[in-house]
Amino acid sequence: MSTTNSVPPEATDALRADVTGRVFVPGDPCYDQARHAWLLTVDQRPAMVVEATTAADVAAAVRFARSHRLRIAPQSTGHGASPLEPLASALLLRTSRMRGVRIDPDTRIARAEAGALWQDVAVAASNHGLAGLAGTASSVGVTGYTLGGGLGWLARRYGLAANSVTAAEIVTPNGQLVRADPEHEPDLFWALRGGGGSVGVVTALEMLLYPVPELYAGALFFPVQRAPEMLHLWREWTTSVPDEVTSVGRILRIPPLPSAPDQLRGRAFALVEAAYVGDEGTGAELIAPLRKLGPEIDTFASIPASALSQLHMDPTEPMPAVGDGTLLTDFPSAAADALVGQAGADADTMLISTEVRHLDGALRRHDADGGALPSIDAGYALYGMGVAATPDAVATVADHAQALKHALAPWHARHSFCNFADAPAPAQALLPADRYQRLHQIKTSYDPDDAIISAHPV
Ligand SMILES: Cc1cc2nc3c(=O)[nH]c(=O)nc-3n(C[C@H](O)[C@H](O)[C@H](O)COP(=O)(O)OP(=O)(O)OC[C@H]3O[C@@H](n4cnc5c(N)ncnc54)[C@H](O)[C@@H]3O)c2cc1C
């Protein structure tokens, strides 16, 4: 699609009159505040920003963009902004002010507007003793996370978040608001569940919640020098645990920030973090082999599902973070050694967090009614990230994240994972070939002009 970024001021004023949300163009006093992403390392400079407050605003913005030859980049928080192409000829369509969440406790279905964060759903769901399939961070947007698959603490028990979507409301690239579910717009419904957001602008998602009455979760911290023995034991342990256990093996370097707890500040640790869907007694038995190693800190306890968002200690405020990751077929001893080489006690690295997540369980089971990514054909997921305050530091952290991936290349799965692919990558690299083929057909049919910019282009 050929585009232009010169919109006449009177057209911008007409859009302002048409929407209940706000419209910003370069030079407006609040343009800089409106354009920034959660990832502070990303400097997005769109031709226009629309902060929608309703689905009608989204539709008006899409029609406006089409008639002024702007492409459209939907975004809620900007956690996933790093792979985006330049937005100079695009309308950045922010949904961050559409945070309504409604829970139906009888059907166990949550309806979340496109700007809702996982913390919004977690709090509303926990009032009914229910939990959604959130990721590790409460500040991540429900929509981008779920469209990309969504891998969280309940993943080995209940699968990818995308598989729990029961319906979506979406503005198509021609500006029409439609409902996509198994009976209506089945192709759109398929494409949205794990295929990213390339086929339109979602205005709300409906998804199944789960009763999680008992949960035993926490972390075991070991000094980083013990990373080799801890990671080897953890990887062996993952081969025997039930699907109710989802866990992460991790090396974490805590910056010397005043906000960090005294015991952790400025230190490096090897950790196992895990969540067991079940009672404390069985959970304690399950982690006993890891506990026998004698951790320096042990935070395991019975917790409510709403507290899971604290387990991984993800930042809640916008950050200049840089990272990348991929899927691993397996995580044998040699892979654990390679990881220690990149991030262990002797590594010269700017990665703050280097982690391997255990997959399999429900994640591996193929749901015939699923969408673009119904299952993950890989045993583990790898992700490394650091914080970078200057362009030089951004380049160095990015190099270290790529070096980590490279060191584990012998175990790379055939495709990567949308939500962990922070470096630019086409959707083709993130889906099995037959699934990508179908996604491409749907994209071409709904968006022949490629008006919608997505994090990973189709
Ligand atoms: C601190 C942190 C922790 C994370 N933890 C996890 C985790 O545990 N598990 C996991 O799976 N992922 C995790 N992620 C990755 C995260 O899921 C992705 O970055 C995801 O894209 C974020 O969604 P968002 O809506 O917040 O981000 P955004 O940047 O707003 O959106 C990302 C992309 O999603 C699409 N999109 C967003 N909104 C819409 C819409 N309304 N319509 C159409 N398309 C849309 C667009 O392509 C957009 O570029 C984490 C990321 C961070 C930074």
Side-chain angles (χ1 to χ4, degrees), residues 74-80 135-136 141 144-145 147 151 197 200 202 357 419 454-455:
Q75 188 171 80
S76 62
T77 67
H79 276 80
T136 56
Y145 165 91
L147 299 182
L151 195 56
V202 169
R357 296 193 187 189
N419 285 359
S454 57

Side-chain angles (χ1 to χ4, degrees), residues 241-308:
V241 292
D243 294 356
E244 283 72 20
V245 178
T246 300
S247 68
V248 176
R250 186 178 191 195
I251 296 177
L252 187 62
R253 295 180 147 71
I254 316 238
L257 296 173
S259 55
D262 289 348
Q263 213 178 353
L264 307 181
R265 187 179 310 121
R267 294 188 58 198
F269 293 93
L271 280 79
V272 174
E273 298 164 354
Y276 166 63
V277 183
D279 65 276
E280 177 166 358
T282 316
E285 266 173 43
L286 282 163
I287 68 147
L290 299 166
R291 250 189 191 138
K292 271 201 193 124
L293 274 187
E296 183 180 325
I297 304 169
D298 179 344
T299 67
F300 273 89
S302 271
I303 62 164
S306 57
L308 276 176

Side-chain angles (χ1 to χ4, degrees), residues 16 25 68 101 117 136 142 151 169 197 204 214 239 247 257 259 293 310 328-329 346 400 406 423 426:
R16 285 194 173 110
V25 292
H68 291 88
V101 174
L117 309 182
T136 56
V142 172
L151 195 56
E169 291 157 30
E214 292 188 297
T239 60
S247 68
L257 296 173
S259 55
L293 274 187
Q310 286 149 36
L328 306 175
T329 50
D346 299 330
H400 290 176
H406 184 71

Side-chain angles (χ1 to χ4, degrees), residues 38-39 74-81 84 95 114 134-137 139-145 147 149-152 196-198 200-203 314-315 357 383 417 419-420 422 453-456:
W38 190 92
L39 285 178
Q75 188 171 80
S76 62
T77 67
H79 276 80
L84 278 178
T95 57
T136 56
S139 64
V140 164
V142 172
T143 304
Y145 165 91
L147 299 182
L151 195 56
S198 69
V201 186
V202 169
T203 58
D314 279 317
R357 296 193 187 189
Y383 189 77
F417 178 57
N419 285 359
F420 286 5
D422 285 353
I453 297 176
S454 57
H456 300 287

